[in-house]
Amino acid sequence: MHTIYARINNLSALLSSCLMVLLGAVAVSSLLFTVNPTAEVVVASVQVVPGNARRYAKKHQEFAFVNFNVTADLTPLFNWNTKQLFMYVSAEYTNKQGVANEVVIWDRIVRRKEDAHIAIAGRNKYIFREMSTSFRNVPPANYTLKYNIMPYVGLLTYGEAGRTLEPVAFPEQHQLS
């Protein structure tokens, strides 16, 4: 009638189908119960300083250094399907040519719900420079705290936790002494 191999094949096909349905239910249920977190982003100061863009090139550019304060409660983002949370502060601005830019200036990975209460007074972790070499006549920038939920099963979820209340202008450059 049926060989042992055919019976094992049928049983493994049934079990894998049941497992896929269960994983799909887990992914859908975790997407339905996502709650928006609360956060506040305050930019304390922005400094623009001149510098060289490359080590060996003689191309001068301006670099922006942003001091910011972030307070956030990201615990509502953690549920039984959350593996870790990637959060980052980004600067959104439009340059002189009218091109919209979004630059990540700071990031952190949160792996536990106990570490999801954030109170940081920091400075940008990554280089913040304008590709047109100057921040002069560039409109003010908005700074936002965004997150990315990395689940055990399912799709990555992106969101915005907080934003500066009003755009922050770039000052004229400071001369280094």
Side-chain angles (χ1 to χ4, degrees), residues 9-23:
N9 186 19
N10 288 338
L11 184 62
S12 66
L14 175 67
L15 291 177
S16 64
S17 297
C18 291
L19 181 65
M20 289 301 150
V21 168
L22 179 65
L23 291 177

Side-chain angles (χ1 to χ4, degrees), residues 156-171:
L156 297 177
T157 306
Y158 295 89
E160 183 177 307
R163 171 180 287 273
T164 53
L165 297 176
E166 57 188 43
V168 179
F170 293 104

Side-chain angles (χ1 to χ4, degrees), residues 4-177:
I4 190 75
Y5 299 115
R7 291 178 187 210
I8 291 174
N9 186 19
N10 288 338
L11 184 62
S12 66
L14 175 67
L15 291 177
S16 64
S17 297
C18 291
L19 181 65
M20 289 301 150
V21 168
L22 179 65
L23 291 177
V26 166
V28 169
S29 68
S30 65
L31 285 177
L32 294 177
F33 299 113
T34 303
V35 180
N36 289 334
T38 58
E40 181 182 4
V41 179
V42 177
V43 174
S45 67
V46 177
Q47 293 179 334
V48 176
V49 296
N52 289 332
R54 295 201 172 104
R55 191 177 205 173
Y56 302 108
K58 297 294 183 191
K59 184 176 181 184
H60 295 285
Q61 280 193 325
E62 292 181 353
F63 296 91
F65 293 98
V66 181
N67 293 322
F68 57 88
N69 299 323
V70 174
T71 55
D73 181 18
L74 303 175
T75 55
L77 297 175
F78 280 88
N79 58 27
W80 53 277
N81 191 28
T82 304
K83 182 177 182 180
Q84 65 185 13
L85 185 69
F86 179 71
M87 53 183 276
Y88 56 98
V89 175
S90 65
E92 300 169 348
Y93 66 99
T94 305
N95 65 6
K96 293 181 269 192
Q97 290 81 17
V99 177
N101 293 309
E102 181 177 358
V103 180
V104 174
I105 61 172
W106 179 87
D107 65 355
R108 176 177 284 178
I109 295 174
V110 180
R111 293 192 167 101
R112 300 181 316 153
K113 187 174 186 176
E114 294 80 24
D115 299 333
H117 291 284
I118 308 296
I120 295 170
R123 191 174 195 173
N124 53 319
K125 187 176 178 181
Y126 302 109
I127 294 174
F128 183 18
R129 65 180 178 181
E130 170 57 35
M131 295 308 291
S132 67
T133 70
S134 176
F135 282 104
R136 190 170 290 129
N137 299 325
V138 172
N142 286 314
Y143 296 88
T144 59
L145 176 67
K146 296 183 180 183
Y147 62 86
N148 179 3
I149 301 172
M150 298 176 191
Y152 287 108
V153 176
L155 301 173
L156 297 177
T157 306
Y158 295 89
E160 183 177 307
R163 171 180 287 273
T164 53
L165 297 176
E166 57 188 43
V168 179
F170 293 104
E172 294 295 320
Q173 76 176 11
H174 297 286
Q175 296 296 329
L176 297 176
S177 54

